[in-house]
Amino acid sequence: MADIHRRPNRILYYGLLWCACLLGLALTSIVLMRHGLTHVWANDSVPQDINFFIYTGEWIRAFLAGLVTGEFTAPMFTYNLGYGTDVFWSVMGFWNDPFNLLSVIWPPQHAEIAYELLLYARIGLCATFFVWYAKSKGHGPWACFVGALVYAFSGYVIFQAIMHHASFVNVALVFPLVLLGADRLFEGKSPIMYILALAFSLYTTFYFTYMVALALIVYCIAKYVFEREQKSLSDLAKLVAQFIGYALLGLCIAGVSVLPGLSVVLSMSRVGLERSIPLLYDGGRYWSFATDLIGGSSYVGGLCIGAVGAFCLIVFLVGRKRIDRNTWRIVLVALIVSLVIVCVPKLGSVTNGFAYVSDRWLFVFDFVAAYATVCAVPVVKGLSKQEWGRVCLVSGILLVLSGSYGFVYESRWALIMCVGFVLVVAASVALATRIPDGAYAFCLAAAVLVGAGATGCLYTVAWGGNHLGEFNSSGVSVPQLDDAAVGKASDLESQGLWRLSPVDRKGPRNASLYHDVMAIDFFGSYYNQNVDTFRSALGVADKDSCYIFAGNDGRTALEYLTGSKYVIVADGTDWRVPYGYEDTGIDAAEGYSFYVTTHAAPLAFMYDNSLSLEAFNQLNLAQRQEAMLSACVLEGGDVQDGRSMDLTSEALPYRIEDADGIEFRDGMIYASKDKASFDLVLPEGTQVPAGSFETEVCFTGLQYAPDPQDMAERLAVDEPLKNKIKRLCSNQNNEYTEIYVYTDDRETYLCLYDNFNKQYSGRENWAFNLGTSEEAPETITVWLSKKGFYTYDTLDVLAQPGEPLAEKAQALQAVAASRLELGENRIDARFEVSDEAVHYAFVSVPYSKGWSAIVDGKPAEILQANVGFMALRLQGEGVHDVQLTYRTPLLLEGLACTIAGIAVTVVIGILFARKRARSAYDEQRTKLAGLSE
């Protein structure tokens, strides 16, 4: 075979590798292309990847233009996501992805094309960096080629990245560089590769870097134990100090991303949320491992290394005598550790930062398996008959497990991949010793690509994984953002500052950022915890999620409080229109209309009294939202008994009837079957508030826990044997339930997760809004989709009259800021106080430590008000000028760390370069001296 280290051949080699990656990506996408679809995942990629790619480009272009013109601009806060949020938090994972720098020059209307190109670039680099690592170990180019394709088209890359999050490839492409840098430290060479690889990983995502760090620790321990010839405590201490010290330097370089990211992550309730983690997984998961390995299932998709990878892994294990002993041991340790982690749920939680169980760390397993492939390819031709017998025996066991899984679960996907595995093994037995090494490697590479294509296609087709409907058609992603209902807000009256609240959402989430509209719509993994606490305290039942929300569920008091002058409501659901809102006659989108009110509170106004947070928490959910229209809720507020306030909401009496599959126990509802229900019946003649009022069914302390069938009950079901086996192996934890609350003509819904589910938010208060009317519903039905235990503290039917809410909101308009400007990273307001009493200037922007305040030229304390927002204490008659300034927490400190880290790294690089040059000079002098003698 040609020497690829010569420049021309090297270019040809890597060109061939990138062509193979392009072919592999095309093969995995045949079904998508046949249906005119792209890799853009409709669920996440449009509201985040495409949207934030466009926003990042606009942000950077404006920043650069400001540097040229002298009008410096660097927005750190946006008012156009949720109730307002930090830019760097919300776009975390996108603004700090170096690949997205392409957005600076890329036309926004073609962002979808950029998404596809960057996906390909990531996969190509993933394969390239793997080759760098494998070649550094002295392996042949074509074995490295095959291994690189196994890695670049592993289950992690296919299922996590190609089919979902393209940016998830970043950790897979940088992981080989981290290990390559670690090897150089062991050899006493320059640490630059190690520092920069860790810096890149930390900069793009410290979430995945945590997993990289765990893998690196195992790798270094195994390498030290098996490869280090001279071991001593001093040598070990020196190595550990180097690894930690240079890792900290990498952390410094990434400081501009890491420090702001950590500041928000450590404040989020998602982190450290207590979840139930089972001792073991269900039997079906373990049974699927063999099928997952050959690419016949996405149950544990990260295990997929394809038929070639699985075959080579078997060869690697069987042919241990033909492989370097230390290499074999290190790989074996990595495989054993990976197998233990993938089998034990608690360890899956540890690898995910002690959060919910996740398999996102399996890029490590895929790397190990791909490297085993590199070691195995040259060994195949030299296997003895006995070794071939062992290979065939293990392959047969794998085939039986995979085939039986496919048969019982009636998975044509699994059975097809079993056939592919048989063909790979059979072809290797027949041809490995009969054709040249290069030809055999070419056949293996081709088989990898065909297998990856089959896995990708079978994942999408209806009779396979059935995921075809999750992807966007070509050319529609940006138009979806263009056509979002919030985009039509430009047709509305634009005087003053106001918010738009989508009671019903039409179009991708986060479209308000794209259209530069102050709409209450948010979807981001990094969020302001104070906003979630606010919505939790009020029981806003639009979604059981900490980091996804839209609108205020049409709750009149909350729409008024948050300054929502306009709402969007789907046509035909007039009952969802909050009290006091009128149709504008302007369509937000087909089937959706804008409604406007004159009652919405301004975005900045004054309270003349305060309610203590303790007293606030003693109120029911309807009283809480009404109380905030009358008093500023503060820690240690003046009013200690909220019931002394003029609150008009009423609890309506009810009795429970027609319980179908329902048992009421002390503080608990037990649903003995799926699709259970009960009725809340209001007694005839129930007194209700005069005029229009909002009816809410409110649960506090509500949690769901499944009630799995016991073994005897599952076996007693009269069904075919295959179904019994599936039932016995299936996960009996439902992990979620759907709750519908409805009357004859109204229905509201919530998907409630149990604490096994990764979406579990820990929220327990829920108010199901049945809209406004002038008559109380006679019967309200509560329908529970899943069998199990529903514990709760209170269950109330609350009626909240609309007119008092409108009056209180209009009273706040009278004490609005006389001047309010929402600027870049700054809010300027002027309040006019008519007496000497204490007043509280409330600003309807979420509380954050990033804000600082100046009142009348002096620094002032910002109070956390109304659970999640901001207020300032004003005292004294006259005009008070308030200036609020925002700076992303720890951003400047992180930038200073980055600059310092880069400077230190440059110095280290220069020192090592001089050392290398001096060593080369001394070596040359020694050679010349020898020649002269």
Side-chain angles (χ1 to χ4, degrees):
M1 281 178 279
D3 181 8
I4 64 170
H5 296 286
R6 294 176 184 173
R7 184 172 180 82
N9 288 337
R10 183 182 300 177
I11 294 173
L12 180 63
Y13 177 85
Y14 285 109
L16 183 61
L17 180 65
W18 279 70
C19 287
C21 289
L22 180 60
L23 178 59
L25 182 59
L27 290 174
T28 62
S29 312
I30 288 175
V31 174
L32 295 179
M33 291 189 291
R34 182 174 176 270
H35 289 82
L37 302 175
T38 66
H39 291 104
V40 177
W41 187 31
N43 190 52
D44 284 18
S45 297
V46 176
Q48 293 190 316
D49 296 80
I50 301 294
N51 192 7
F52 292 161
F53 177 85
I54 294 171
Y55 179 79
T56 299
E58 293 174 346
W59 195 101
I60 297 176
R61 285 194 295 272
F63 176 80
L64 295 176
L67 293 180
V68 173
T69 62
E71 298 177 0
F72 181 77
T73 178
M76 301 182 198
F77 191 89
T78 176
Y79 306 99
N80 301 329
L81 278 177
Y83 303 95
T85 187
D86 184 284
V87 168
F88 297 104
W89 292 354
S90 303
V91 195
M92 182 71 68
F94 300 92
W95 72 265
N96 53 330
D97 182 349
F99 289 95
N100 280 344
L101 290 175
L102 180 66
S103 63
V104 178
I105 60 173
W106 198 265
Q109 65 271 24
H110 299 306
E112 186 181 279
I113 298 175
Y115 182 87
E116 299 283 4
L117 290 176
L118 292 178
L119 174 60
Y120 167 58
R122 288 180 168 102
I123 292 172
L125 288 173
C126 184
T128 299
F129 295 155
F130 179 89
V131 167
W132 289 7
Y133 174 82
K135 285 179 61 180
S136 74
K137 298 293 188 180
H139 294 287
W142 303 111
C144 295
F145 192 97
V146 176
L149 293 181
V150 170
Y151 184 52
F153 292 99
S154 62
Y156 173 84
V157 174
I158 291 176
F159 298 124
Q160 292 282 2
I162 294 178
M163 300 299 178
H164 290 98
H165 305 280
S167 61
F168 279 16
V169 184
N170 289 358
V171 67
L173 69 85
V174 78
F175 185 59
L177 298 182
V178 172
L179 298 188
L180 185 57
D183 287 347
R184 292 185 176 184
L185 280 186
F186 271 104
E187 296 165 4
K189 296 181 179 179
S190 171
I192 298 301
M193 174 71 79
Y194 176 77
I195 294 170
L196 295 182
L198 276 180
F200 177 89
S201 183
L202 284 160
Y203 179 80
T204 55
T205 167
F206 51 82
Y207 167 69
F208 279 113
T209 306
Y210 166 77
M211 304 174 196
V212 169
L214 294 179
L216 180 63
I217 291 171
V218 175
Y219 179 79
C220 290
I221 292 173
K223 190 174 177 67
Y224 187 84
V225 171
F226 296 125
E227 290 189 351
R228 198 74 165 181
E229 293 181 358
Q230 296 180 348
K231 304 181 184 71
S232 66
L233 286 177
S234 60
D235 175 62
L236 178 61
K238 180 181 177 182
L239 271 176
V240 171
Q242 287 179 335
F243 272 95
I244 294 176
Y246 291 133
L248 290 175
L249 187 53
L251 178 63
C252 281
I253 294 175
V256 69
S257 170
V258 172
L259 291 186
L262 284 176
S263 72
V264 61
V265 165
L266 296 178
S267 71
M268 298 186 323
S269 64
R270 289 182 75 193
V271 178
L273 188 64
E274 184 176 348
R275 289 180 170 88
S276 295
I277 299 175
L279 180 63
L280 294 172
Y281 297 109
D282 59 83
R285 179 184 171 98
Y286 296 113
W287 193 4
S288 77
F289 283 176
T291 310
D292 293 324
L293 201 66
I294 62 174
S297 162
S298 60
Y299 198 154
V300 190
L303 281 177
C304 169
I305 52 176
V308 172
F311 167 72
C312 289
L313 185 58
I314 294 170
V315 171
F316 175 86
L317 295 173
V318 170
R320 61 185 182 277
K321 295 180 180 179
R322 304 176 186 277
I323 298 170
D324 177 76
R325 183 184 181 191
N326 291 332
T327 298
W328 192 87
R329 286 179 171 181
I330 292 173
V331 173
L332 182 64
V333 168
L335 290 172
I336 292 173
V337 171
S338 298
L339 183 63
V340 171
I341 294 174
V342 83
C343 288
V344 180
K346 186 62 180 178
L347 296 179
S349 169
V350 171
T351 59
N352 197 40
F354 296 88
Y356 57 85
V357 179
S358 172
D359 295 325
R360 288 175 177 171
W361 64 273
L362 279 172
F363 67 89
V364 177
F365 170 80
D366 293 338
F367 175 87
V368 174
Y371 186 70
T373 299
V374 174
C375 298
V377 169
V379 170
V380 174
K381 298 177 72 67
L383 292 177
S384 66
K385 290 184 178 179
Q386 287 182 333
E387 289 170 328
W388 270 116
R390 296 190 193 106
V391 169
C392 292
L393 176 62
V394 177
S395 298
I397 294 172
L398 183 66
L399 185 63
V400 169
L401 292 171
S402 304
S404 60
Y405 179 88
F407 174 74
V408 169
Y409 285 86
E410 300 176 348
S411 170
R412 283 189 280 175
W413 178 5
L415 295 176
I416 289 173
M417 298 310 293
C418 284
V419 173
F421 181 66
V422 170
L423 291 176
V424 168
V425 176
S428 295
V429 172
L431 301 176
T433 58
R434 291 181 172 85
I435 60 176
D437 293 351
Y440 180 63
F442 175 82
C443 291
L444 287 179
V448 171
L449 297 179
V450 172
T455 298
C457 292
L458 291 170
Y459 174 79
T460 54
V461 295
W463 48 270
N466 194 26
H467 293 278
L468 197 63
E470 298 178 5
F471 300 93
N472 262 12
S473 297
S474 178
V476 306
S477 298
V478 175
Q480 282 180 347
L481 288 167
D482 288 329
D483 296 339
V486 296
K488 302 298 189 296
S490 58
D491 297 337
L492 303 173
E493 174 268 322
S494 59
Q495 293 181 355
L497 295 171
W498 43 266
R499 282 197 177 104
L500 170 64
S501 177
V503 177
D504 294 305
R505 184 177 54 84
K506 172 67 173 179
R509 293 185 181 275
N510 294 336
S512 53
L513 181 69
Y514 179 81
H515 288 283
D516 195 22
V517 173
M518 288 181 61
I520 304 173
D521 186 14
F522 182 86
F523 174 22
S525 298
Y526 303 90
Y527 60 93
N528 187 331
Q529 179 56 45
N530 297 310
V531 171
D532 182 56
T533 303
F534 165 75
R535 293 173 69 86
S536 298
L538 278 302
V540 183
D542 62 334
K543 190 173 181 67
D544 184 6
S545 173
C546 304
Y547 58 93
I548 305 174
F549 62 83
N552 297 305
D553 195 32
R555 304 257 293 275
T556 301
L558 296 184
E559 304 294 10
Y560 290 169
L561 178 70
T562 56
S564 300
K565 181 176 181 178
Y566 295 94
V567 297
I568 299 175
V569 179
D571 296 345
T573 58
D574 294 348
W575 62 270
R576 287 178 60 79
V577 178
Y579 177 85
Y581 283 80
E582 302 292 337
D583 194 343
T584 63
I586 300 173
D587 290 338
E590 184 177 354
Y592 293 79
S593 299
F594 286 113
Y595 291 78
V596 64
T597 185
T598 59
H599 305 314
L603 297 184
F605 57 84
M606 288 188 298
Y607 288 109
D608 59 9
N609 65 335
S610 62
L611 173 67
S612 73
L613 185 61
E614 295 76 13
F616 171 83
N617 289 331
Q618 293 171 2
L619 303 175
N620 65 42
L621 299 184
Q623 290 173 332
R624 290 179 185 180
Q625 61 189 10
E626 184 178 1
M628 288 190 292
L629 290 173
S630 301
C632 186
V633 178
L634 297 171
E635 184 75 44
D638 300 327
V639 178
Q640 298 298 318
D641 185 359
R643 291 168 296 185
S644 65
M645 302 174 65
D646 182 21
L647 303 179
T648 59
S649 64
E650 301 177 14
L652 303 181
Y654 65 85
R655 63 179 183 272
I656 295 173
E657 294 185 359
D658 296 330
D660 180 16
I662 293 291
E663 295 178 28
F664 277 86
R665 303 173 184 176
D666 186 23
M668 183 180 70
I669 301 169
Y670 173 62
S672 59
K673 66 172 188 175
D674 291 345
K675 301 179 182 179
S677 64
F678 62 91
D679 291 342
L680 304 176
V681 180
L682 275 62
E684 186 175 352
T686 297
Q687 294 295 316
V688 296
S692 294
F693 60 91
E694 198 169 83
T695 303
E696 298 170 1
V697 176
C698 300
F699 288 89
T700 62
L702 178 63
Q703 289 190 321
Y704 168 69
D707 179 24
Q709 295 175 314
D710 61 30
M711 190 70 68
E713 187 177 352
R714 280 183 264 167
L715 287 172
V717 177
D718 184 17
E719 58 186 352
L721 179 60
K722 284 197 300 184
N723 290 351
K724 282 192 176 183
I725 294 173
K726 285 192 288 186
R727 185 182 292 273
L728 287 171
C729 292
S730 67
N731 185 356
Q732 295 303 306
N733 294 317
N734 289 319
E735 294 192 339
Y736 74 93
T737 184
E738 296 170 317
I739 302 177
Y740 285 84
V741 178
Y742 59 89
T743 62
D744 290 339
D745 59 348
R746 304 179 178 199
E747 179 181 280
T748 185
Y749 151 88
L750 174 71
C751 183
L752 182 67
Y753 301 104
D754 73 7
N755 61 3
F756 284 90
N757 196 295
K758 67 179 183 179
Q759 299 288 352
Y760 174 67
S761 67
R763 298 171 68 180
E764 299 180 348
N765 298 332
W766 304 104
F768 293 85
N769 181 16
L770 291 172
T772 57
S773 63
E774 295 185 356
E775 296 181 359
E778 296 179 1
T779 301
I780 301 172
T781 301
V782 179
W783 185 90
L784 310 174
S785 70
K786 298 290 180 66
K787 171 184 177 180
F789 301 93
Y790 298 77
T791 58
Y792 65 96
D793 295 330
T794 62
L795 169 55
D796 297 310
V797 178
L798 303 177
Q800 189 157 58
E803 187 59 30
L805 300 180
E807 292 173 355
K808 292 177 180 180
Q810 286 181 310
L812 296 177
Q813 294 177 2
V815 287
S818 58
R819 179 173 65 87
L820 177 63
E821 296 178 5
L822 303 183
E824 181 182 299
N825 308 324
R826 177 168 170 162
I827 300 174
D828 289 288
R830 173 169 292 174
F831 296 90
E832 298 179 4
V833 179
S834 58
D835 54 46
E836 295 295 327
V838 174
H839 292 74
Y840 298 95
F842 175 78
V843 181
S844 184
V845 171
Y847 178 86
S848 167
K849 293 182 179 179
W851 287 103
S852 60
I854 294 177
V855 176
D856 298 330
K858 298 179 181 178
E861 179 187 5
I862 299 177
L863 306 173
Q864 186 166 345
N866 290 349
V867 183
F869 296 88
M870 296 189 294
L872 298 105
R873 183 186 175 97
L874 302 178
Q875 188 164 15
E877 183 179 358
V879 174
H880 297 275
D881 288 320
V882 172
Q883 181 185 105
L884 294 165
T885 305
Y886 188 81
R887 190 189 81 186
T888 299
L890 299 182
L891 179 65
L892 296 183
E893 293 83 349
L895 180 60
C897 286
T898 294
I899 294 171
I902 292 174
V904 173
T905 302
V906 169
V907 171
I908 290 174
I910 293 172
L911 292 176
F912 270 88
R914 288 182 175 179
K915 180 181 178 182
R916 186 169 59 251
R918 189 180 303 113
S919 298
Y921 175 73
D922 292 342
E923 183 179 346
Q924 187 67 21
R925 286 189 61 184
T926 302
K927 287 181 179 180
L928 291 174
L931 289 174
S932 64
E933 293 177 1

